[in-house]
Amino acid sequence: MSEDRLKIGEVELRSRLFLGTAGYPSPDALGRAIEVSDPGLITVSLRRENAGGSGQRFWDILKDFDIPVLPNTAGCFSVKEAVTTAEMAREVFGTNWIKLEVIGDDYTLQPDPFGLLEAAEELIARGFEVFPYMTDDLILGERLSVAGCHILMPWGAPIGSGRGLNNPYALKFLRERFVQKTLVVDAGIGAPSHAAAAMEMGYDAVLLNTAVSKAVDPAAMAGAFAKAITAGREGYLAGLIEAQEKATASTPLLDKPFWHQ
């Protein structure tokens, strides 16, 4: 459905699936997952890939695909660290896009809302298009929007937890409040059904990593997520019926059958 493609700035993405690149069993497994799912964006952690020593093969795989790269500041716990990493990523990848992570808690990897806002303001002033990884907090979303963020990326659940959408009410409220923003559910997705549910709420995209990279068959799982995201989006556009407490007959009763008379 080319007429329904997501655009970020002047860039038209060919899919509403955003795929992370960390934790795959091999570079070839990553390549197959990308090939099968054909994501709209590929996210890359500059710090982790450099530390992981995955080598030239990793970079060659990314270059083989004509898919925009979204570098991120994964592993950063301070504003200074995140800003420095973002500047390095811009130099390496030649893009002003940055997925901004400023982690505040070691256990849950929950974003630090204060550091996130400060770093976002600084990076926007430096000309970045900031994709902030945030909790589902409404006020934080408001402050990031005022700072100049055109995209908001609330978590579904803690990173890598696979719990899905922990707080559907908050996610729905964000979608209703930020009608003109691009909203992406990022983190905690564990099953294709979770991704479909996010898209049925009207979210613009879903970002995945662990659910695919740690699957028994990453390529097959990536393909399943791609289908679920498409189905969820098409269901949202088609117009989902409202849930209700009582049953409603799908077949109208014109009269009773003759044997009831």
Side-chain angles (χ1 to χ4, degrees), residues 175-210:
R175 178 68 283 178
E176 292 169 1
R177 176 63 65 91
F178 300 109
V179 177
Q180 303 301 322
K181 297 288 182 184
T182 297
L183 264 59
V184 181
V185 171
D186 176 14
I189 299 296
S193 58
H194 300 157
M199 298 304 293
E200 288 169 358
M201 288 182 188
Y203 273 76
D204 296 290
V206 173
L207 196 155
L208 309 163
N209 193 158
T210 307

Side-chain angles (χ1 to χ4, degrees), residues 22-25 160 209-219 221:
Y24 287 80
N209 193 158
T210 307
V212 173
S213 66
K214 300 302 183 185
V216 174
D217 187 337
M221 186 62 75

Side-chain angles (χ1 to χ4, degrees), residues 41-46 68-74 85-86 88-101 128-129 131:
L41 285 180
I42 298 173
T43 66
V44 179
S45 169
L46 183 66
V69 171
L70 175 64
N72 66 40
T73 63
T85 302
M88 291 171 59
R90 177 157 63 178
E91 184 175 343
V92 169
F93 295 104
T95 177
N96 289 329
W97 290 2
I98 191 73
K99 178 190 168 187
L100 178 61
E101 298 183 30
F128 283 87
E129 180 71 71
F131 296 59

Side-chain angles (χ1 to χ4, degrees), residues 18-201:
F18 298 173
L19 190 65
T21 56
Y24 287 80
S26 69
D28 288 335
L30 168 62
R32 289 194 297 273
I34 294 173
E35 183 176 8
V36 170
S37 61
D38 195 25
L41 285 180
I42 298 173
T43 66
V44 179
S45 169
L46 183 66
R47 289 166 56 91
R48 286 180 178 163
E49 293 307 333
N50 284 347
S54 52
Q56 188 63 40
R57 177 65 179 140
F58 173 82
W59 302 111
D60 288 343
I61 286 174
L62 296 188
K63 292 174 184 176
D64 287 342
F65 296 96
D66 184 24
I67 298 173
V69 171
L70 175 64
N72 66 40
T73 63
C76 293
F77 285 79
S78 71
V79 173
K80 182 179 180 180
E81 201 176 13
V83 170
T84 300
T85 302
E87 288 286 10
M88 291 171 59
R90 177 157 63 178
E91 184 175 343
V92 169
F93 295 104
T95 177
N96 289 329
W97 290 2
I98 191 73
K99 178 190 168 187
L100 178 61
E101 298 183 30
V102 182
I103 301 302
D105 182 75
D106 281 330
Y107 183 74
T108 64
L109 300 181
Q110 180 171 325
D112 171 2
F114 309 103
L116 181 67
L117 178 60
E118 182 181 343
E121 291 172 336
E122 176 65 26
L123 290 172
I124 289 168
R126 297 186 183 203
F128 283 87
E129 180 71 71
V130 174
F131 296 59
Y133 166 60
M134 54 179 281
T135 59
D136 51 25
D137 182 84
L138 174 64
I139 305 306
L140 177 57
E142 294 277 13
R143 297 291 178 86
L144 288 167
S145 295
V146 170
C149 291
H150 303 110
I151 300 105
L152 299 176
M153 303 180 73
W155 68 355
I159 294 173
S161 67
R163 295 178 57 86
L165 309 182
N166 265 358
N167 194 342
Y169 172 80
L171 291 172
K172 287 180 180 178
F173 200 80
L174 286 174
R175 178 68 283 178
E176 292 169 1
R177 176 63 65 91
F178 300 109
V179 177
Q180 303 301 322
K181 297 288 182 184
T182 297
L183 264 59
V184 181
V185 171
D186 176 14
I189 299 296
S193 58
H194 300 157
M199 298 304 293
E200 288 169 358
M201 288 182 188

Side-chain angles (χ1 to χ4, degrees), residues 246-257:
K246 65 174 185 174
T248 301
S250 58
T251 304
L253 299 176
L254 300 179
D255 202 353
K256 292 181 180 180

